[in-house]
Amino acid sequence: HALFFSAESARLFVRLARAVGLADAVRRIDAIAIGAPAAMALSALPWAAIRAAPAPNQDAMLALLR
C-alpha cells in the first residue's frame, strides 16, 4: 500500500514516477488517498487499486487498510 495525505503529494508522486520511468511499477500496489482530489491525481498511474478515505483524516485512511 501507498498512502497519500494530500492531492499535492499525489500529483508530485505521479510527476516524479513518470520522470524516472517508474510509472508502471505501481501496477501491483494499492493507493490510499485522503480524499477524492488526491485519488483523481493518482488515477494518472496504473495502480492495482485506488481507494479514497470517506473522511479526510488519518484514521479514515488507516481503516481502509483493514
Side-chain angles (χ1 to χ4, degrees):
H1 296 90
L3 280 67
F4 294 88
F5 287 83
S6 71
E8 182 178 352
S9 67
R11 285 189 297 271
L12 179 60
F13 181 89
V14 169
R15 187 178 58 143
L16 293 174
R18 286 177 168 166
V20 297
L22 291 176
D24 286 334
V26 303
R27 288 188 185 278
R28 296 176 61 184
I29 301 171
D30 291 343
I32 306 295
I34 196 157
M40 185 172 292
L42 293 168
S43 70
L45 295 180
W47 300 93
I50 300 171
R51 300 176 70 192
N57 61 60
Q58 180 175 311
D59 288 339
M61 292 175 71
L62 294 176
L64 293 176
L65 297 175
R66 295 185 198 125

